Amino acid sequence: MAEHPRRLDVAIEAVQAACRVCDSLQKQLANLQKMHKNDRSPVTVADFASQAVVNNILQSNLGPFSMIAEEDAQTLRDQIEAGETAIADAVCEAANQVWSGATRDDVIGAIDLGHPSSERSHAHGYWTLDPIDGTKGFLRGGQYSVCLAWIEGGEVTLGVLGCPNLSLDFGRPFDDPDPHGSIYFASAHEGAWEMRGDAERSGAVRLERLHRTENEPLRLCESVDGSHTSHDVAERAMGKLGELAEPLRLDGQGKYAVVARGQADVYLRLPRGGYIERIWDHAAGALISHEAGCAASDARGAQLEFGHGAGMDANRGVVVTAQELHGPVIGALDEVAHEGS
Ligand code: AMP
Ligand code: MG
């Protein structure tokens, strides 16, 4: 099916607007925490505001859509009914930075567009959105991403990844937020692109993952949070392939971009206990890394499947590598699995 001609432009605009809102909220973390006496309230506000802003831009420019997103507005409605309006008001105020005149009802209505309704079918494609991926990074003042992808016939055909704190400069440490951030996007069969977070699309540069320089230590990229992936199994597997550099650890889907742009060689996500990955945590990144020339699969080498609803039921874990490393990495993971712990 032909790609909607404006879909990518609108998706980029939506992600950029959401990134602006999240960025300004992250800069007032301490204030928001004091105001709401709850450590998590800033991310709650940012999650809802980000989803409202993305959905409003999609709807205003492209008309009605279906979406599988992480948030719905039920908790906000419940709070309002109980007379607690602080979070809803903060969401509304935050969204107003890029959506002027939006009322509390407008914002709640926009958030709910992300909730799969039985009336709208997914047959003609749907969005998947993670309004803030990498919650812990967001709360730490560090890395996180806004992730939006379009899925049609089980395939991801478009992906946009906004990383408000990720520098285009490889030399800048992940815990030193870049003032402009970066944004990555891809369309199926048309390549992947990167640009500064606040740039125009015409300023984007094609992302092409080069072959690895032989004899350089291998660099792994993984979650900061050791409950999302086994750092230990990753280190054991990678250790079979050669000398290792210090792993790069960051929160959110920016890990796909880090491999796609050649800053790391491998992204491993090796969850424990049968955890099923969610499509919004991987769809945009998987397309971007694939279009940049990387190999992506699950931890057993199976193709990532995005057509089973919110959960990636057919897969376990994620492996993204420079092409030539994919076979060796899957082989090493298999060896480690057979060695036991
Ligand atoms: P990251 O920032 O890459 O560590 O991952 C953030 C994402 O991990 C969140 O959006 C969650 O959906 C997902 N997540 C939550 N619990 C787990 C788990 N036990 N294993 C793997 N991923 C998880
Ligand atoms: Mg997430």
Side-chain angles (χ1 to χ4, degrees):
M1 184 165 294
E3 188 62 43
H4 187 295
R6 292 197 56 225
R7 197 176 281 136
L8 181 57
D9 280 325
V10 173
I12 292 170
E13 181 191 337
V15 169
Q16 283 181 317
C19 286
R20 272 175 56 199
V21 170
C22 294
D23 194 43
S24 89
L25 287 169
Q26 196 188 34
K27 292 194 168 103
Q28 336 160 29
L29 273 182
N31 272 346
L32 284 163
Q33 275 160 346
K34 235 184 284 160
M35 188 166 86
H36 298 293
K37 300 191 175 52
N38 176 343
D39 280 356
R40 294 190 65 82
S41 52
V43 75
T44 309
V45 172
D47 252 332
F48 283 130
S50 174
Q51 182 156 321
V53 161
V54 166
N55 287 359
N56 177 53
I57 292 175
L58 295 178
Q59 160 123 315
S60 321
N61 288 277
L62 300 171
F65 56 84
S66 6
M67 175 179 271
I68 299 182
E70 198 169 10
E71 307 295 342
D72 71 61
Q74 193 52 47
T75 47
L76 283 184
R77 286 186 217 289
D78 292 346
Q79 285 173 1
I80 292 169
E81 211 157 287
E84 300 160 20
T85 62
I87 297 277
D89 289 337
V91 171
C92 190
E93 189 186 326
N96 261 272
Q97 290 175 52
V98 295
W99 179 7
S100 57
T103 64
R104 208 160 67 188
D105 283 348
D106 291 338
V107 164
I108 287 178
I111 294 166
D112 269 345
L113 295 172
H115 201 55
S117 96
S118 47
E119 290 137 52
R120 285 199 63 76
S121 142
H122 284 171
H124 302 296
Y126 51 92
W127 295 102
T128 185
L129 170 70
D130 194 341
I132 291 198
D133 184 31
T135 306
K136 289 183 180 155
F138 180 84
L139 287 171
R140 212 186 285 122
Q143 300 293 332
Y144 64 96
S145 27
V146 175
C147 318
L148 179 64
W150 177 256
I151 298 176
E152 200 163 330
E155 302 290 325
V156 187
T157 62
L158 180 163
V160 182
L161 198 56
C163 303
N165 289 334
L166 185 61
S167 183
L168 292 175
D169 172 7
F170 288 9
R172 193 173 186 121
F174 294 147
D175 59 5
D176 179 12
D178 183 87
H180 306 288
S182 50
I183 183 161
Y184 305 83
F185 55 89
S187 275
H189 316 299
E190 288 180 16
W193 306 80
E194 76 173 339
M195 63 187 191
R196 220 172 75 166
D198 48 5
E200 301 274 329
R201 186 177 164 191
S202 55
V205 172
R206 183 89 187 250
L207 261 184
E208 277 171 297
R209 180 59 163 92
L210 301 174
H211 282 274
R212 215 173 75 69
T213 316
E214 286 289 337
N215 304 326
E216 280 208 1
L218 280 165
R219 199 176 284 278
L220 169 70
C221 176
E222 60 189 351
S223 288
V224 176
D225 189 328
S227 73
H228 291 173
T229 188
S230 169
H231 292 156
D232 173 53
V233 173
E235 188 183 345
R236 277 163 53 203
M238 294 294 291
K240 294 181 183 296
L241 304 178
E243 195 194 335
L244 301 185
E246 267 302 295
L248 294 177
R249 289 187 179 149
L250 76 162
D251 299 282
Q253 224 170 116
K255 290 185 275 294
Y256 281 93
V258 164
V259 177
R261 68 192 197 166
Q263 189 176 13
D265 304 301
V266 177
Y267 164 27
L268 288 183
R269 188 177 195 88
L270 308 171
R272 302 158 206 276
Y275 176 81
I276 302 287
E277 302 290 341
R278 320 309 286 172
I279 55 172
W280 51 77
D281 284 329
H282 300 287
L287 181 66
I288 290 161
S289 58
H290 173 75
E291 287 294 327
C294 299
S297 71
D298 81 356
R300 295 182 289 212
Q303 195 181 334
L304 296 176
E305 292 187 25
F306 293 96
H308 303 287
M312 295 171 67
D313 297 13
N315 297 123
R316 291 294 176 275
V318 171
V319 172
V320 184
T321 71
Q323 276 298 339
E324 72 274 18
L325 286 174
H326 188 256
V329 169
I330 296 295
L333 285 170
D334 190 48
E335 264 184 59
V336 171
H338 284 96
E339 285 163 11
S341 47

